[in-house]
Amino acid sequence: MKLLSASEADLIVAAQALREGKLVAFPTETVYGLGANAFDERAVARIFEAKARPTFDPLIVHIARLEDILMLAEEVPENAWRLARRLWPGPLTIILPKRREVPDIVTAGLSTVAVRFPSHPVARRIIELAKIPIAAPSANPFGYLSPTTALHVIDMLGESIDYIVDGGPCDVGVESTVIDMTGERPALLRPGGMPLERIEELIGLVDIPGHDEPSVDEGLEGAGEKDMLLFEHGFEHAETQGAAQSLKSCEKKQNHLKKSPESPSQKSPGQSSSHYAPSTPLFLFDEESLPEAAKRKGILHPCIALAFNDRRAQVLRDSGLFDAVQILSEEGDMREATARLFSLLHDLDEAGLAAIYAERVPDAGLGRAINDRLYRASRNKKVPS
Ligand code: TXA
Ligand code: MG
C-alpha cells in the first residue's frame, strides 16, 4: 500500500492507477471509499475480496459530471433528474435502471445501478482525471464501521489495497442517503448524509420501508425474526472503524463479523441489520430513556454512555451508573454529531470497554442517519442480556 497526498501530482497517480485496474481508497464528503474502475470486472472483484464483502451486495458507482449518469442508467425518470440537478454533487445515491454495459459484478446481478456524484474535491478530481466511473463501497471490512480518516483505512484494509489518498477527515461522517427511483414511488433505502426532508421538498413523499422498527433496546432482545424481517425491507447499515487499530483487533473484527446475519433476498441486498457495528457491544435506548432503562437491564463495566448533547451528558453523569460519558455534540448540533459518530465509535472500540450505552437522538434530518447506524451497531452484540 502506498499513501498519497491530495496534491494534483498525487491525484494523477491515483487516477492512473484506477485506469490500470488498481484499488485506490480516497476521501469523499461522507466516508472514505475503496475505488476501482466500474467497467473493469477484475478490478471490481478485488474490492469484494479486500472487504470480504459478499458478492450479492451491490456497489455504488461514482461519477464527476452530471451527464455521466447516462453511461450507467438506461433511463432517468424526471424526479431522479430533479434530485440529481439540485442535490448533486452531494451525499445522495440514486438507484436507477442500469445499462447493459454496467458489469453484473457491480450491481450483484440486479437490473438497477446505484449512482452517486460526490462533492469532495479530492474524489471529484480523481474521477475527472481517471475519466471512468468509479465503483466504490466504504473502505472497511464488510459489516464494520465505515472509515472517516485515512488512518482508519490503513488500519483496516492497508494490506489489501494499492493506494490510499489522504484528504483529511470526512465532513459529513456517515454514508450517503440511498434513494430508489425505480419503483412506482421513490423509496428511502438508507438514511444518510442528505436529509430526507430536502429530498421530499423536491419530489414529494418518499416511502420509508420498514420504518416501524422497534426502537428501544429492551424491545429488541428476543424481537428476533420479526425484527430482522422489518429490516430486510429497511435501511442500510453502517460500517465504521476506530482510529489507530492493531492487526489483532482487525482479526477480532473479522471474526465477529462472520457471525453477522445476512440474507441474499433483501431488497437492497447489502442491508442486513447488523452492519456498521463496532466490536464492543452497544446498547441503544430511546431518546432520554437512559439511565433508567439501562439500570433495569443491568450495567456492564467498564462502560461508557454516549450522550447527544451537554444537557443529556449531565443527566447521565449525575446518574453515577456509567464509568464515563462521551458527547456527540456539546451544543446538540446534528451536523457535528454526525461527523463525530463513526470516529468516536472507532476510538471507543479500541478502549477495551464491556459496553457502550447510547441514546437515540431526535429523529429528523441527519438524526435519522445517526439513529439508523446506532440501531445497526446495537444489533451485533453477542452478550447475555
Ligand atoms: O457515502 C457513501 O455512499 C459511500 C461513499 C464511499 O460513497 N459508499 C458506501 O457504499 O456507503 P457501500 O457499498 O458501503 O454502501 C452501498 C449501499 C449498500 O447497502 C448496497 O446494498 C446499496 O448501497 N446498493 C448498491 N447498489 C444498489 C442497488 N442497485 N439497489 C439497491 N441498493 C443498492
Ligand atoms: Mg459500506
Side-chain angles (χ1 to χ4, degrees), residues 51 53 137-138 140 146 175 190 236-237 239 275-276:
K51 280 183 62 96
R53 178 173 172 129
S138 49
N140 50 278
S146 293
E175 301 82 352
R190 174 175 75 177
E236 138 89 294
H237 12 337
E239 312 167 279
H275 252 69
Y276 306 106

Side-chain angles (χ1 to χ4, degrees), residues 53 219 269 287 303:
R53 178 173 172 129
E287 203 184 331
C303 69

Side-chain angles (χ1 to χ4, degrees), residues 194-372:
M194 180 63 69
L196 181 64
E197 291 82 348
R198 291 202 55 199
I199 295 170
E200 290 191 326
E201 265 167 34
L202 294 171
I203 60 167
L205 279 186
V206 169
D207 282 349
I208 308 181
H211 189 52
D212 46 350
E213 86 274 19
S215 56
V216 185
D217 196 73
E218 292 160 300
L220 297 179
E221 312 293 344
E225 281 175 22
K226 176 169 158 272
D227 169 55
M228 281 307 297
L229 260 182
L230 286 174
F231 260 80
E232 282 178 12
H233 300 288
F235 304 143
E236 138 89 294
H237 12 337
E239 312 167 279
T240 329
Q241 159 100 8
Q245 188 152 41
S246 68
L247 261 182
K248 206 159 157 225
S249 68
C250 257
E251 271 162 30
K252 187 176 88 189
K253 254 147 232 162
Q254 293 284 11
N255 291 337
H256 145 90
L257 293 171
K258 278 186 198 128
K259 295 182 211 143
S260 308
E262 190 82 22
S263 150
S265 64
Q266 293 159 356
K267 155 94 177 132
S268 184
Q271 301 179 358
S272 73
S273 69
S274 61
H275 252 69
Y276 306 106
S279 305
T280 312
L282 184 148
F283 296 86
L284 180 62
F285 295 88
D286 263 354
E287 203 184 331
E288 317 224 332
S289 87
L290 257 182
E292 294 74 16
K295 199 165 162 185
R296 277 200 300 278
K297 259 177 94 77
I299 300 202
L300 301 169
H301 293 281
C303 69
I304 73 111
L306 190 58
F308 173 47
N309 54 22
D310 240 358
R311 183 179 61 79
R312 288 304 301 167
Q314 200 51 51
V315 174
L316 300 181
R317 266 189 224 107
D318 290 348
S319 76
L321 291 170
F322 309 102
D323 300 310
V325 174
Q326 292 275 340
I327 309 175
L328 283 172
S329 164
E330 291 188 7
E331 309 275 297
D333 177 87
M334 203 58 92
R335 276 189 183 207
E336 185 185 25
T338 311
R340 287 202 67 207
L341 177 68
F342 283 170
S343 71
L344 195 57
L345 289 176
H346 276 278
D347 289 347
L348 292 176
D349 216 13
E350 297 301 303
L353 296 167
I356 299 168
Y357 294 94
E359 277 183 335
R360 291 165 76 93
V361 305
D363 201 43
L366 292 171
R368 234 185 274 269
I370 296 184
N371 287 334
D372 174 70

Side-chain angles (χ1 to χ4, degrees), residues 60 88 90-95 114-116 176-180 190:
I60 296 174
W88 279 354
L92 174 70
T93 294
I94 306 178
I95 309 289
V115 188
R116 165 157 138 74
S176 61
T177 299
V178 179
I179 184 143
D180 183 357
R190 174 175 75 177

